[in-house]
Short mmCIF file of all heavy atoms in Angstrom, two decimals:
data_model
loop_
_atom_site.label_atom_id
_atom_site.label_comp_id
_atom_site.label_asym_id
_atom_site.label_seq_id
_atom_site.Cartn_x
_atom_site.Cartn_y
_atom_site.Cartn_z
N GLU A 84 21.72 7.45 -2.37
CA GLU A 84 21.00 8.73 -2.43
C GLU A 84 19.51 8.50 -2.61
O GLU A 84 18.68 9.22 -2.05
CB GLU A 84 21.55 9.60 -3.56
CG GLU A 84 22.89 10.25 -3.27
CD GLU A 84 24.04 9.26 -3.20
OE1 GLU A 84 23.90 8.14 -3.76
OE2 GLU A 84 25.07 9.59 -2.59
N MET A 85 19.18 7.48 -3.39
CA MET A 85 17.77 7.16 -3.60
C MET A 85 17.13 6.68 -2.29
O MET A 85 16.01 7.08 -1.95
CB MET A 85 17.62 6.08 -4.67
CG MET A 85 16.19 5.63 -4.90
SD MET A 85 16.06 4.37 -6.17
CE MET A 85 14.32 3.97 -6.04
N PHE A 86 17.85 5.86 -1.54
CA PHE A 86 17.32 5.38 -0.26
C PHE A 86 17.12 6.54 0.71
O PHE A 86 16.11 6.61 1.41
CB PHE A 86 18.27 4.35 0.33
CG PHE A 86 17.84 3.85 1.69
CD1 PHE A 86 16.73 3.03 1.82
CD2 PHE A 86 18.53 4.21 2.83
CE1 PHE A 86 16.32 2.57 3.06
CE2 PHE A 86 18.13 3.76 4.08
CZ PHE A 86 17.02 2.93 4.20
N LEU A 87 18.07 7.46 0.75
CA LEU A 87 17.93 8.62 1.62
C LEU A 87 16.70 9.45 1.23
O LEU A 87 15.97 9.94 2.09
CB LEU A 87 19.18 9.50 1.54
CG LEU A 87 20.46 8.96 2.20
CD1 LEU A 87 21.62 9.91 1.95
CD2 LEU A 87 20.25 8.75 3.68
N ASP A 88 16.47 9.58 -0.07
CA ASP A 88 15.31 10.34 -0.53
C ASP A 88 14.01 9.63 -0.14
O ASP A 88 13.02 10.27 0.23
CB ASP A 88 15.38 10.53 -2.04
CG ASP A 88 14.34 11.52 -2.54
OD1 ASP A 88 14.43 12.70 -2.16
OD2 ASP A 88 13.44 11.10 -3.29
N MET A 89 14.02 8.29 -0.20
CA MET A 89 12.86 7.52 0.23
C MET A 89 12.56 7.77 1.70
O MET A 89 11.41 7.95 2.10
CB MET A 89 13.09 6.03 -0.02
CG MET A 89 13.13 5.61 -1.48
SD MET A 89 13.73 3.92 -1.71
CE MET A 89 12.44 2.97 -0.89
N MET A 90 13.61 7.82 2.52
CA MET A 90 13.42 8.04 3.95
C MET A 90 12.97 9.47 4.25
O MET A 90 12.12 9.69 5.11
CB MET A 90 14.72 7.73 4.69
CG MET A 90 15.20 6.29 4.57
SD MET A 90 13.98 5.08 5.16
CE MET A 90 14.02 5.38 6.92
N ARG A 91 13.52 10.43 3.52
CA ARG A 91 13.12 11.83 3.74
C ARG A 91 11.65 12.06 3.43
O ARG A 91 10.99 12.91 4.03
CB ARG A 91 13.97 12.76 2.86
CG ARG A 91 15.41 12.90 3.26
CD ARG A 91 16.07 14.03 2.48
NE ARG A 91 17.52 13.97 2.56
CZ ARG A 91 18.31 13.49 1.61
NH1 ARG A 91 17.79 13.02 0.49
NH2 ARG A 91 19.61 13.46 1.77
N SER A 92 11.12 11.31 2.48
CA SER A 92 9.75 11.54 2.03
C SER A 92 8.70 10.96 2.96
O SER A 92 7.50 11.17 2.74
CB SER A 92 9.56 10.95 0.62
OG SER A 92 9.59 9.53 0.67
N GLN A 93 9.11 10.23 4.00
CA GLN A 93 8.15 9.49 4.82
C GLN A 93 7.08 10.37 5.45
O GLN A 93 5.89 10.08 5.36
CB GLN A 93 8.90 8.73 5.92
CG GLN A 93 9.70 7.57 5.38
CD GLN A 93 8.87 6.70 4.46
OE1 GLN A 93 7.98 6.00 4.89
NE2 GLN A 93 9.14 6.77 3.17
N ALA A 94 7.49 11.43 6.12
CA ALA A 94 6.51 12.28 6.81
C ALA A 94 5.60 13.01 5.84
O ALA A 94 4.58 13.56 6.25
CB ALA A 94 7.23 13.29 7.70
N LEU A 95 5.95 13.00 4.57
CA LEU A 95 5.13 13.67 3.56
C LEU A 95 4.08 12.72 2.98
O LEU A 95 3.29 13.13 2.14
CB LEU A 95 6.02 14.20 2.43
CG LEU A 95 7.13 15.15 2.88
CD1 LEU A 95 8.08 15.42 1.73
CD2 LEU A 95 6.55 16.44 3.40
N CYS A 96 4.10 11.46 3.41
CA CYS A 96 3.20 10.46 2.85
C CYS A 96 2.11 10.03 3.83
O CYS A 96 1.46 9.01 3.63
CB CYS A 96 4.00 9.23 2.41
SG CYS A 96 5.22 9.56 1.11
N THR A 97 1.94 10.78 4.91
CA THR A 97 0.94 10.42 5.90
C THR A 97 -0.09 11.54 6.04
O THR A 97 0.07 12.62 5.50
CB THR A 97 1.60 10.17 7.27
OG1 THR A 97 2.27 11.37 7.69
CG2 THR A 97 2.62 9.04 7.19
N PHE A 98 -1.13 11.26 6.80
CA PHE A 98 -2.20 12.22 7.05
C PHE A 98 -2.22 12.58 8.53
O PHE A 98 -1.91 11.75 9.39
CB PHE A 98 -3.54 11.65 6.61
CG PHE A 98 -3.60 11.34 5.14
CD1 PHE A 98 -3.18 10.10 4.66
CD2 PHE A 98 -4.03 12.28 4.23
CE1 PHE A 98 -3.19 9.82 3.31
CE2 PHE A 98 -4.06 12.01 2.87
CZ PHE A 98 -3.64 10.77 2.41
N SER A 99 -2.61 13.80 8.82
CA SER A 99 -2.60 14.27 10.20
C SER A 99 -3.68 13.60 11.05
O SER A 99 -3.59 13.54 12.26
CB SER A 99 -2.80 15.79 10.24
OG SER A 99 -4.01 16.15 9.57
N THR A 100 -4.71 13.08 10.40
CA THR A 100 -5.80 12.43 11.11
C THR A 100 -6.42 11.36 10.23
O THR A 100 -6.35 11.43 9.01
CB THR A 100 -6.89 13.45 11.51
OG1 THR A 100 -7.99 12.76 12.10
CG2 THR A 100 -7.38 14.23 10.30
N LYS A 101 -7.03 10.37 10.87
CA LYS A 101 -7.70 9.31 10.11
C LYS A 101 -9.13 9.70 9.77
O LYS A 101 -9.82 8.96 9.05
CB LYS A 101 -7.71 8.01 10.92
CG LYS A 101 -8.53 8.09 12.20
CD LYS A 101 -8.53 6.77 12.94
CE LYS A 101 -9.40 6.84 14.19
NZ LYS A 101 -9.44 5.57 14.92
N ASP A 102 -9.60 10.84 10.26
CA ASP A 102 -10.98 11.27 10.05
C ASP A 102 -11.28 11.44 8.57
O ASP A 102 -10.48 11.96 7.80
CB ASP A 102 -11.26 12.57 10.78
CG ASP A 102 -11.16 12.40 12.29
OD1 ASP A 102 -11.28 11.25 12.76
OD2 ASP A 102 -10.95 13.41 12.99
N LEU A 103 -12.48 11.03 8.19
CA LEU A 103 -12.96 11.14 6.82
C LEU A 103 -14.06 12.19 6.75
O LEU A 103 -14.61 12.60 7.77
CB LEU A 103 -13.49 9.79 6.34
CG LEU A 103 -12.45 8.69 6.14
CD1 LEU A 103 -13.12 7.34 6.00
CD2 LEU A 103 -11.58 8.98 4.92
N PRO A 104 -14.41 12.63 5.53
CA PRO A 104 -15.52 13.56 5.40
C PRO A 104 -16.80 13.01 6.03
O PRO A 104 -16.98 11.79 6.12
CB PRO A 104 -15.68 13.72 3.88
CG PRO A 104 -14.32 13.42 3.34
CD PRO A 104 -13.74 12.37 4.25
N ALA A 105 -17.67 13.90 6.44
CA ALA A 105 -18.87 13.51 7.20
C ALA A 105 -19.74 12.50 6.46
O ALA A 105 -20.36 11.63 7.07
CB ALA A 105 -19.67 14.75 7.56
N ASN A 106 -19.79 12.60 5.13
CA ASN A 106 -20.67 11.72 4.36
C ASN A 106 -20.00 10.42 3.96
O ASN A 106 -20.53 9.65 3.17
CB ASN A 106 -21.16 12.44 3.09
CG ASN A 106 -20.01 12.74 2.14
OD1 ASN A 106 -18.88 13.00 2.57
ND2 ASN A 106 -20.29 12.73 0.85
N PHE A 107 -18.82 10.14 4.52
CA PHE A 107 -18.04 8.98 4.09
C PHE A 107 -17.54 8.25 5.32
O PHE A 107 -16.73 8.76 6.08
CB PHE A 107 -16.86 9.47 3.24
CG PHE A 107 -16.22 8.38 2.43
CD1 PHE A 107 -16.95 7.65 1.51
CD2 PHE A 107 -14.87 8.09 2.58
CE1 PHE A 107 -16.36 6.66 0.75
CE2 PHE A 107 -14.27 7.10 1.83
CZ PHE A 107 -15.02 6.38 0.91
N THR A 108 -18.01 7.03 5.55
CA THR A 108 -17.68 6.28 6.76
C THR A 108 -16.55 5.29 6.49
O THR A 108 -16.21 5.00 5.34
CB THR A 108 -18.91 5.53 7.27
OG1 THR A 108 -19.27 4.52 6.30
CG2 THR A 108 -20.08 6.47 7.49
N GLU A 109 -16.01 4.74 7.57
CA GLU A 109 -14.97 3.71 7.46
C GLU A 109 -15.51 2.49 6.74
O GLU A 109 -14.80 1.85 5.95
CB GLU A 109 -14.45 3.33 8.84
CG GLU A 109 -13.43 4.29 9.41
CD GLU A 109 -12.15 4.34 8.59
OE1 GLU A 109 -11.75 3.30 8.03
OE2 GLU A 109 -11.58 5.43 8.46
N SER A 110 -16.75 2.14 7.01
CA SER A 110 -17.36 0.99 6.36
C SER A 110 -17.47 1.20 4.86
O SER A 110 -17.18 0.30 4.05
CB SER A 110 -18.74 0.73 6.95
OG SER A 110 -19.39 -0.32 6.28
N THR A 111 -17.86 2.40 4.47
CA THR A 111 -17.97 2.73 3.05
C THR A 111 -16.61 2.67 2.38
O THR A 111 -16.46 2.12 1.28
CB THR A 111 -18.56 4.14 2.88
OG1 THR A 111 -19.80 4.22 3.58
CG2 THR A 111 -18.80 4.44 1.41
N ARG A 112 -15.61 3.24 3.04
CA ARG A 112 -14.25 3.20 2.49
C ARG A 112 -13.77 1.75 2.35
O ARG A 112 -13.16 1.38 1.35
CB ARG A 112 -13.30 3.97 3.40
CG ARG A 112 -11.85 3.96 2.93
CD ARG A 112 -10.92 4.55 3.96
NE ARG A 112 -9.54 4.43 3.54
CZ ARG A 112 -8.81 3.33 3.66
NH1 ARG A 112 -9.34 2.25 4.20
NH2 ARG A 112 -7.55 3.30 3.24
N GLY A 113 -14.08 0.92 3.34
CA GLY A 113 -13.66 -0.47 3.30
C GLY A 113 -14.27 -1.22 2.12
O GLY A 113 -13.60 -2.03 1.47
N ILE A 114 -15.54 -0.95 1.84
CA ILE A 114 -16.21 -1.59 0.70
C ILE A 114 -15.52 -1.19 -0.60
O ILE A 114 -15.25 -2.03 -1.48
CB ILE A 114 -17.69 -1.20 0.66
CG1 ILE A 114 -18.44 -1.78 1.85
CG2 ILE A 114 -18.35 -1.67 -0.64
CD1 ILE A 114 -19.87 -1.29 1.98
N LEU A 115 -15.22 0.09 -0.74
CA LEU A 115 -14.59 0.59 -1.96
C LEU A 115 -13.19 0.01 -2.13
O LEU A 115 -12.84 -0.48 -3.22
CB LEU A 115 -14.54 2.11 -1.93
CG LEU A 115 -13.85 2.81 -3.12
CD1 LEU A 115 -14.51 2.39 -4.44
CD2 LEU A 115 -13.89 4.32 -2.95
N VAL A 116 -12.38 0.03 -1.09
CA VAL A 116 -11.02 -0.48 -1.18
C VAL A 116 -11.03 -1.98 -1.46
O VAL A 116 -10.23 -2.48 -2.27
CB VAL A 116 -10.23 -0.17 0.11
CG1 VAL A 116 -8.88 -0.87 0.11
CG2 VAL A 116 -10.04 1.34 0.26
N ASP A 117 -11.92 -2.72 -0.82
CA ASP A 117 -12.01 -4.16 -1.06
C ASP A 117 -12.35 -4.45 -2.52
O ASP A 117 -11.79 -5.38 -3.13
CB ASP A 117 -13.07 -4.77 -0.14
CG ASP A 117 -13.07 -6.29 -0.17
OD1 ASP A 117 -12.06 -6.88 0.28
OD2 ASP A 117 -14.06 -6.88 -0.65
N TRP A 118 -13.22 -3.65 -3.09
CA TRP A 118 -13.56 -3.83 -4.50
C TRP A 118 -12.37 -3.50 -5.40
O TRP A 118 -12.09 -4.22 -6.37
CB TRP A 118 -14.75 -2.94 -4.87
CG TRP A 118 -15.10 -3.01 -6.32
CD1 TRP A 118 -15.75 -4.03 -6.96
CD2 TRP A 118 -14.79 -2.04 -7.33
NE1 TRP A 118 -15.87 -3.75 -8.30
CE2 TRP A 118 -15.29 -2.53 -8.56
CE3 TRP A 118 -14.15 -0.81 -7.31
CZ2 TRP A 118 -15.16 -1.84 -9.75
CZ3 TRP A 118 -14.02 -0.12 -8.50
CH2 TRP A 118 -14.52 -0.63 -9.70
N LEU A 119 -11.63 -2.46 -5.08
CA LEU A 119 -10.45 -2.11 -5.87
C LEU A 119 -9.42 -3.23 -5.84
O LEU A 119 -8.79 -3.54 -6.86
CB LEU A 119 -9.83 -0.81 -5.35
CG LEU A 119 -10.65 0.47 -5.54
CD1 LEU A 119 -9.95 1.65 -4.88
CD2 LEU A 119 -10.88 0.75 -7.02
N ILE A 120 -9.23 -3.84 -4.68
CA ILE A 120 -8.29 -4.95 -4.57
C ILE A 120 -8.77 -6.13 -5.40
O ILE A 120 -7.97 -6.83 -6.03
CB ILE A 120 -8.12 -5.37 -3.09
CG1 ILE A 120 -7.44 -4.24 -2.31
CG2 ILE A 120 -7.33 -6.66 -2.97
CD1 ILE A 120 -7.42 -4.46 -0.80
N LYS A 121 -10.07 -6.33 -5.44
CA LYS A 121 -10.63 -7.47 -6.17
C LYS A 121 -10.45 -7.34 -7.68
O LYS A 121 -10.25 -8.35 -8.37
CB LYS A 121 -12.12 -7.63 -5.82
CG LYS A 121 -12.73 -8.93 -6.29
CD LYS A 121 -14.13 -9.10 -5.76
CE LYS A 121 -14.16 -9.64 -4.37
NZ LYS A 121 -13.79 -11.07 -4.29
N VAL A 122 -10.52 -6.14 -8.21
CA VAL A 122 -10.44 -5.97 -9.67
C VAL A 122 -9.06 -5.54 -10.14
O VAL A 122 -8.85 -5.39 -11.34
CB VAL A 122 -11.48 -4.94 -10.17
CG1 VAL A 122 -12.88 -5.38 -9.81
CG2 VAL A 122 -11.18 -3.54 -9.62
N HIS A 123 -8.13 -5.36 -9.23
CA HIS A 123 -6.85 -4.78 -9.62
C HIS A 123 -5.71 -5.42 -8.85
O HIS A 123 -5.85 -5.72 -7.66
CB HIS A 123 -6.87 -3.27 -9.35
CG HIS A 123 -5.72 -2.53 -9.93
ND1 HIS A 123 -5.47 -2.48 -11.27
CD2 HIS A 123 -4.73 -1.81 -9.35
CE1 HIS A 123 -4.40 -1.74 -11.50
NE2 HIS A 123 -3.92 -1.34 -10.34
N ASP A 124 -4.57 -5.63 -9.50
CA ASP A 124 -3.42 -6.24 -8.85
C ASP A 124 -2.27 -5.28 -8.64
O ASP A 124 -1.61 -5.28 -7.62
CB ASP A 124 -2.91 -7.42 -9.69
CG ASP A 124 -3.74 -8.67 -9.46
OD1 ASP A 124 -4.25 -8.85 -8.36
OD2 ASP A 124 -3.89 -9.45 -10.42
N GLU A 125 -1.99 -4.46 -9.64
CA GLU A 125 -0.80 -3.62 -9.59
C GLU A 125 -1.15 -2.17 -9.21
O GLU A 125 -2.30 -1.78 -9.19
CB GLU A 125 -0.11 -3.65 -10.98
CG GLU A 125 0.10 -5.04 -11.55
CD GLU A 125 1.00 -5.90 -10.70
OE1 GLU A 125 1.79 -5.33 -9.91
OE2 GLU A 125 0.94 -7.14 -10.82
N THR A 126 -0.13 -1.39 -8.92
CA THR A 126 -0.24 0.04 -8.57
C THR A 126 -1.27 0.28 -7.46
O THR A 126 -1.81 1.37 -7.34
CB THR A 126 -0.62 0.89 -9.80
OG1 THR A 126 -1.94 0.58 -10.24
CG2 THR A 126 0.36 0.68 -10.92
N LEU A 127 -1.54 -0.75 -6.66
CA LEU A 127 -2.61 -0.66 -5.68
C LEU A 127 -2.32 0.36 -4.59
O LEU A 127 -3.19 1.14 -4.19
CB LEU A 127 -2.84 -2.04 -5.07
CG LEU A 127 -4.17 -2.30 -4.36
CD1 LEU A 127 -5.35 -1.97 -5.27
CD2 LEU A 127 -4.25 -3.74 -3.89
#
Side-chain angles (χ1 to χ4, degrees):
E84 284 69 21
M85 177 179 174
F86 177 71
L87 289 176
D88 190 64
M89 291 169 65
M90 298 302 290
R91 289 190 195 101
S92 70
Q93 289 311 289
L95 303 171
C96 298
T97 60
F98 299 87
S99 57
T100 175
K101 65 179 182 179
D102 295 339
L103 291 166
N106 65 327
F107 196 59
T108 66
E109 279 296 325
S110 176
T111 306
R112 179 189 175 280
I114 293 172
L115 178 57
V116 172
D117 189 66
W118 177 75
L119 292 176
I120 293 171
K121 192 172 277 288
V122 300
H123 191 61
D124 280 328
E125 311 298 338
T126 67
L127 199 54

